Amino acid sequence: MAIAGLAYSQTRFFDEDIANFSFGATGWPRAICLLIALGATCQLVYKLAGRGEEAEEPSSATGAATQDGGHRLAQRAAIFVLPFVYLYVTPLIGFYVATPVFIVALLLLLEVRSPLVIAGVTGIVYILILLIFTRFFYVALPNGRLDGFYEFNNAIIAIARTGL
């Protein structure tokens, strides 16, 4: 909630009117902040209702972490580091190449093992992102600076703008 509140408070620095958009420059950022706050509230209610309890991690008699506990720690660290890797790689290889790889990697880290679920979630999220950003908003997302990736990203944009 604090992060959502902080992000919402920062929108005052670019609160300007836009000719064809009645909510101004802060419309979408504020809506996203409110959705984050709503999601955090729902998660808190879920946890307080007792449905979100996690199983206790086993530990040895000496209190040291077991091998399973070490695996969990490595998994959590990888889930934390993955978005930073994504942010570093995206300007190099482009948003349209990095995003599906990021989604698949995140699903695998979250221990989703069904190829059908991985393909379905990746495809649906990717198509929604393509439609929203390239066809509806015409937002320029990073195309990549490396040869080959730049052209591939531009080809994806051209296909998405002409119709899937």
Side-chain angles (χ1 to χ4, degrees):
M1 291 296 285
I3 293 172
L6 177 66
Y8 190 91
S9 71
Q10 296 298 310
T11 62
R12 73 178 188 279
F13 295 118
F14 56 91
D15 191 14
E16 297 179 12
D17 291 335
I18 297 177
N20 295 330
F21 190 62
S22 60
F23 298 109
T26 59
W28 281 111
R30 287 182 176 170
I32 291 170
C33 290
L34 292 174
L35 287 172
I36 290 171
L38 177 67
T41 304
C42 290
Q43 185 175 14
L44 176 65
V45 170
Y46 184 76
K47 288 283 189 181
L48 291 175
R51 294 190 177 108
E53 297 175 4
E54 290 186 26
E56 293 277 330
E57 289 188 16
S59 61
S60 65
T62 61
T66 62
Q67 188 177 16
D68 187 44
H71 170 73
R72 286 283 184 214
L73 181 62
Q75 179 186 24
R76 289 177 181 167
I79 290 171
F80 178 78
V81 170
L82 183 65
F84 294 109
V85 172
Y86 173 69
L87 289 174
Y88 177 77
V89 169
T90 298
L92 297 173
I93 66 172
F95 178 84
Y96 302 101
V97 173
T99 299
V101 174
F102 170 73
I103 294 169
V104 169
L106 185 60
L107 289 172
L108 290 173
L109 283 173
L110 293 172
E111 298 181 352
V112 176
R113 296 293 181 244
S114 169
L116 188 60
V117 171
I118 292 172
V121 169
T122 304
I124 289 170
V125 170
Y126 191 64
I127 288 171
L128 286 174
I129 288 171
L130 282 175
L131 288 175
I132 291 169
F133 289 107
T134 60
R135 290 197 64 162
F136 297 136
F137 295 136
Y138 290 97
V139 174
L141 297 170
N143 284 341
R145 293 189 302 253
L146 299 177
D147 290 336
F149 289 108
Y150 179 80
E151 290 82 11
F152 186 72
N153 282 290
N154 282 332
I156 293 171
I157 292 169
I159 291 169
R161 286 194 176 156
T162 59
L164 296 172

